[in-house]
């Protein structure tokens, strides 16, 4: 059997910066459990090949099975890719996973040539599918647990599997050797030098209405020792300088953070790293420890300066906690990359002005002011579907238009027209930018040197293009 993994392009307007963790982990597990299977990996996001090169690669690989997937913005690519693969290799089985597939499985299956949607964690599902296909290559009546497929025009979902409980033993590291690592290590965002992102946990205990959580609310994480071993492997094999932890919420377990900091100081004290945080989880002690252990940035989702909107989006955070997180970060000389959302249901001129006032009072920009976007699988999406704001009949067209939340897709408010909402966002960003009290260049340089140590030279020695790339995504200048 020949197996081809395809990682679609996530954003053509952006540099490739996030390795395909899910696909690369599954690739590692498959080759471990089925050493007789030949595996190819086509990373479209990293390589950005021409259409003719893609076709050439597929024809040369001649896979019996293709595994693909990703976030919801790749939905349209899954449709195009699957149709082209089937036209070239009609007998090839195409399996899709990730939010682009599992949040809208019936829609994807009905609109594409995808044969199977993996509805759960690939570590369990992928080997079961491969085993079933090895035993019966002609089967189209799949018995694998946790999948969806269409048979004789009937949509079918097989009962799912329990979620992984022990991430260390039941998952795996990504198959980095199958990826064009030099591409990913050359586009640092918050980091410097050779910067790689890493996802060390799954599940988020919080229930924000705009967030899709396919892995449930129980926090499941790799141990600090597992992460440390992975970092040492990356340093040895790829000479990394920086790790960007891209967990939904890295700081849920204080004990794990402390253990990681201790292992960092013992085994790789020169490494710098960043992570996600939450305003109700930070305090002076833990942030001080993290900074002393190489952390250079903690990013937060503030989302709104309106207590009412925070409550309605089920954020479980207060303005006081947000201000406190800013104070703690600044005391530790950390930048403050924060995100906000405009256009939630119930958003009014007053709530927008509250967000702007919070930004002005706390001297922060609104560079990352996103439009409220009801991605499939979120409560926001379900509510919009029930209310008729999203039409079931036109769901395909709606999903085809989904991309970055900086792009306006739908108006969920009743107080703004589309044009008014778009203009209000621009106005808020402009006012926050004009009133932002910028530290002096010498202050910024001093902070960077203290945070990054010997790696600080990498921070300043970048092209204008890379500096713009970093500013767009990392908000590194927001001290």
């Amino acid at each position: 059997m020949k197996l081809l993994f395809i990682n679609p392009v996530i954003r053509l307007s952006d540099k490739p910066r996030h390795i395909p963790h899910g696909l690369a982990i599954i690739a590692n597990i498959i080759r471990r459990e089925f050493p007789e299977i030949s595996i190819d990996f086509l990373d479209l996001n990293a390589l950005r090949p021409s259409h003719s090169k893609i076709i050439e690669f597929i024809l040369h690989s001649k896979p019996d099975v293709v595994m693909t997937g990703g976030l919801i913005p790749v939905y349209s690519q899954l449709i195009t890719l699957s149709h082209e693969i089937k036209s070239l290799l009609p007998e090839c089985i195409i399996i899709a996973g990730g939010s682009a597939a599992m949040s809208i499985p019936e829609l994807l299956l009905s609109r594409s040539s995808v044969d199977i949607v993996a509805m759960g964690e690939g570590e369990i599902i992928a080997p079961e599918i491969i085993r079933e296909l090895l035993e019966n290559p002609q089967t189209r009546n799949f018995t694998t647990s946790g999948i969806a497929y269409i048979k004789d025009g009937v949509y079918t979902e097989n009962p799912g599997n329990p979620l992984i409980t022990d991430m260390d033993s039941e998952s795996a590291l990504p198959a980095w050797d199958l990826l064009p690592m030099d591409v990913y290590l050359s586009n640092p965002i918050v980091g410097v030098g050779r910067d790689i992102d890493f996802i060390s946990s799954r599940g988020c205990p919080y229930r924000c209405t705009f967030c899709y959580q396919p892995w449930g609310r129980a926090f499941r994480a790799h141990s600090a020792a597992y992460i440390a071993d992975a970092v040492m492997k990356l340093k040895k094999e790829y000479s990394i300088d920086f790790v960007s932890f891209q967990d939904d919420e890295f700081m849920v377990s204080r004990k794990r953070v402390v253990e990681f900091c201790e292992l960092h100081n013992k085994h790789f004290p020169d490494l710098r790293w960043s992570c996600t945080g939450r305003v109700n989880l930070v305090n002076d002690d833990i942030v001080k420890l993290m900074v002393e252990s190489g952390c250079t940035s903690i990013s937060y989702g503030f989302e709104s300066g309106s207590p009412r909107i925070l409550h309605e989006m089920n954020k479980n955070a207060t303005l006081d906690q947000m201000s406190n997180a800013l104070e703690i970060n600044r005391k530790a000389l950390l930048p403050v990359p924060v995100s906000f959302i405009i256009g939630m249901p119930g958003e009014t001129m007053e709530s927008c002005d509250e967000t702007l006032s919070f930004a002005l009072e706390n001297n922060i920009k609104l560079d990352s002011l996103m439009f409220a976007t009801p991605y499939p699988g979120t409560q926001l999406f379900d509510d919009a579907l029930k209310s008729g704001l999203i039409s079931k009949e036109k769901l395909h067209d709606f999903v085809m238009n989904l991309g970055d939340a900086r792009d306006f897709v739908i108006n969920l408010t009743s107080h703004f027209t589309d044009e008014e909402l778009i203009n209000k966002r621009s106005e808020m960003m402009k006012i926050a930018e004009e009133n932002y009290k910028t530290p002096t260049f010498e202050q910024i340089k001093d902070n960077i040197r203290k945070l990054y140590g010997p790696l600080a030279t990498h921070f300043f020695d970048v092209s204008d293009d890379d500096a713009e790339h970093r500013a767009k995504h990392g908000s590194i200048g927001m001290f």
Side-chain angles (χ1 to χ4, degrees):
M1 176 185 285
K2 292 204 69 175
L3 174 57
L4 171 61
F5 288 87
I6 301 180
N7 180 38
V9 180
I10 184 64
R11 292 183 188 94
L12 272 173
S13 61
D14 198 3
K15 290 186 175 184
R17 57 194 177 98
H18 296 308
I19 69 168
H21 282 88
L23 289 173
I25 287 171
I26 295 169
N28 221 1
I29 288 174
I30 292 296
R31 70 180 179 183
R32 182 180 68 196
E33 295 194 20
F34 304 95
E36 72 277 17
I37 291 179
S38 173
I39 293 178
D40 287 330
F41 206 112
L42 177 56
D43 195 334
L44 303 180
N45 189 49
L47 302 175
R48 311 285 168 93
S50 66
H51 179 261
S52 62
K53 289 291 184 182
I54 295 171
I55 299 302
E56 181 182 331
F57 190 101
I58 293 171
L59 288 174
H60 181 264
S61 179
K62 290 184 180 176
D64 301 295
V65 177
V66 167
M67 291 191 179
T68 186
L71 298 174
I72 198 69
V74 307
Y75 169 80
S76 62
Q77 290 182 68
L78 296 185
I79 294 172
T80 302
L81 272 171
S82 64
H83 287 328
E84 291 197 332
I85 292 167
K86 284 291 187 180
S87 70
L88 298 169
L89 305 166
E91 298 304 311
C92 180
I93 299 295
I94 304 173
I95 305 164
S99 64
M102 60 191 298
S103 66
I104 41 171
E106 188 170 5
L107 182 67
L108 178 66
L109 288 166
S110 67
R111 294 282 183 160
S112 71
S113 294
V114 169
D115 296 289
I116 299 172
V117 167
M119 297 293 290
E121 291 173 301
E123 291 94 335
I124 299 173
I125 294 173
E128 285 191 15
I129 294 175
I130 294 300
R131 198 168 287 113
E132 183 169 2
L133 289 171
L134 285 172
E135 292 172 358
N136 184 4
Q138 304 306 315
T139 187
R140 293 298 183 269
N141 186 24
F142 302 100
T143 61
T144 301
S145 301
I147 64 170
Y149 60 100
I150 292 177
K151 172 68 173 177
D152 298 327
V154 178
Y155 173 77
T156 302
E157 276 190 31
N158 293 349
N161 302 291
L163 293 172
I164 289 171
T165 55
D166 188 335
M167 290 280 291
D168 287 1
S169 64
E170 295 179 79
S171 188
L173 292 174
W176 291 306
D177 59 299
L178 297 180
L179 305 178
M181 289 290 282
D182 280 341
V183 174
Y184 287 114
L185 291 170
S186 300
N187 294 313
I189 305 298
V190 179
V192 295
R194 292 171 69 80
D195 172 14
I196 189 170
D197 57 325
F198 192 94
I199 298 175
S200 72
S201 66
R202 292 179 195 166
C204 178
Y206 302 97
R207 298 178 179 272
C208 303
T209 61
F210 52 83
C211 186
Y212 177 49
Q213 277 299 328
W215 311 131
R217 302 296 170 184
F219 180 73
R220 298 164 294 134
H222 285 299
S223 66
Y226 187 97
I227 302 170
D229 287 344
V231 169
M232 286 188 280
K233 178 180 175 68
L234 285 164
K235 283 185 69 65
K236 179 181 178 182
E237 297 182 6
Y238 299 101
S239 301
I240 63 163
D241 299 306
F242 198 100
V243 174
S244 300
F245 290 104
Q246 298 290 326
D247 304 46
D248 285 332
E249 183 41 69
F250 182 80
M251 296 181 67
V252 170
S253 170
R254 179 186 175 91
K255 178 175 180 289
R256 190 178 75 124
V257 173
V258 171
E259 289 173 352
F260 173 73
C261 290
E262 292 170 348
L263 290 168
H264 169 280
N265 296 342
K266 181 178 181 181
H267 296 294
F268 36 88
D270 58 328
L271 182 93
R272 296 298 187 268
W273 56 283
S274 65
C275 70
T276 50
R278 209 170 194 280
V279 297
N280 59 308
L281 298 177
V282 297
N283 57 41
D284 285 298
D285 292 340
I286 191 65
V287 171
K288 182 174 184 291
L289 175 64
M290 291 164 68
V291 171
E292 290 173 348
S293 303
C295 181
T296 66
S297 177
I298 305 171
S299 60
Y300 302 94
F302 281 6
E303 319 313 0
S304 179
S306 165
R308 178 177 59 83
I309 295 295
L310 287 172
H311 174 74
E312 291 181 5
M313 64 171 56
N314 205 27
K315 182 64 185 175
N316 193 25
T318 67
L319 298 187
D320 285 344
Q321 289 172 330
M322 289 156 58
S323 296
N324 183 55
L326 288 168
E327 183 180 344
I328 290 170
N329 267 41
R330 285 170 170 157
K331 194 185 305 180
L333 303 181
L334 291 174
V336 191
V338 295
S339 62
F340 289 87
I341 296 173
I342 185 174
M344 289 292 294
E347 188 86 86
T348 62
M349 190 68 73
E350 180 184 9
S351 61
C352 287
D353 289 344
E354 287 178 305
T355 295
L356 179 58
S357 294
F358 180 85
L360 297 177
E361 289 166 7
N362 289 277
N363 193 37
I364 50 178
K365 298 181 184 181
L366 292 174
D367 289 350
S368 293
L369 179 58
M370 313 293 182
F371 287 109
T373 306
Y375 292 104
T378 66
Q379 183 183 325
L380 206 59
F381 175 82
D382 292 340
D383 291 345
L385 207 57
K386 289 174 186 174
S387 69
L389 278 173
I390 298 175
S391 165
K392 290 182 180 179
E393 292 73 24
K394 296 181 179 179
L395 183 55
H396 168 74
D397 295 332
F398 173 76
V399 179
M400 287 286 284
N401 287 324
L402 288 175
D404 193 298
R406 288 179 172 84
D407 302 322
F408 176 79
V409 176
I410 188 172
N411 188 348
L412 302 176
T413 77
S414 56
H415 289 80
F416 295 95
T417 65
D418 294 358
E419 184 179 5
E420 287 171 343
L421 186 62
I422 292 168
N423 289 340
K424 186 62 178 176
R425 173 179 180 265
S426 298
E427 174 193 303
M428 291 168 66
M429 293 174 69
K430 183 173 183 290
I431 294 173
E433 172 71 27
E434 290 174 346
N435 286 273
Y436 176 63
K437 299 175 183 65
T438 308
T440 67
F441 185 61
E442 286 304 317
Q443 288 173 321
I444 293 175
K445 284 202 299 185
D446 188 47
N447 285 359
I448 293 296
R449 291 191 187 101
K450 288 176 181 176
L451 286 173
Y452 289 88
L455 293 176
T457 53
H458 290 290
F459 183 87
F460 296 109
D461 186 21
V462 294
S463 66
D464 291 343
D465 188 38
D466 284 340
E468 183 180 348
H469 173 65
R470 175 187 286 155
K472 178 181 177 182
H473 297 289
S475 300
I476 195 70
M478 294 176 61
F479 286 99

